[in-house]
């Protein structure tokens, strides 16, 4: 009786690889130091206040335009019904 011939299977790689114990720790790079003085803080606060005021102005304008559009649409609808 003839049996099929299977190829030899190679040994699988080890599941756990050993790391050397004398490995050096990675070097941490420090960020460049930034000097923060009072003028920088004031400039950031003023910039934040200005941007917040502009955002509020845009929001109020958008709401006003939306209300005006609804009122105008209502007035035109009533005008066309007559």
């Amino acid at each position: 009786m003839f049996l099929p011939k299977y190829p030899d299977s190679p040994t699988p790689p080890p599941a756990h690889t050993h790391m050397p114990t004398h490995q050096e720790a990675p070097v941490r790079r420090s960020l460049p130091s930034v000097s923060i003085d009072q003028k920088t803080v004031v400039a950031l606060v003023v910039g934040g206040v200005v941007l917040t005021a502009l955002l509020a102005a845009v929001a109020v304008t958008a709401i006003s335009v939306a209300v005006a559009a609804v009122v105008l649409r209502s007035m035109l609808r009533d005008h066309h019904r007559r």
Side-chain angles (χ1 to χ4, degrees):
M1 187 168 193
F2 295 106
L3 293 174
K5 198 172 193 181
Y6 296 110
D8 293 334
S9 62
T11 57
H16 180 15
T17 57
H18 295 283
M19 296 293 285
T21 57
H22 57 81
Q23 188 179 25
E24 296 180 13
V27 178
R28 290 191 59 166
R29 295 182 183 170
S30 62
L31 295 175
S33 62
V34 177
S35 62
I36 299 177
D37 57 350
Q38 189 174 4
K39 291 180 182 179
T40 306
V41 173
V42 169
L44 287 174
V45 169
V46 169
V49 168
V50 168
L51 289 176
T52 304
L54 287 173
L55 182 64
V58 168
V60 168
T61 303
I63 292 171
S64 300
V65 168
V67 169
V70 168
V71 169
L72 189 60
R73 182 178 172 188
S74 169
M75 289 172 60
L76 288 175
R77 183 181 299 153
D78 287 343
H79 180 69
H80 286 298
R81 286 185 183 174
R82 292 182 182 179

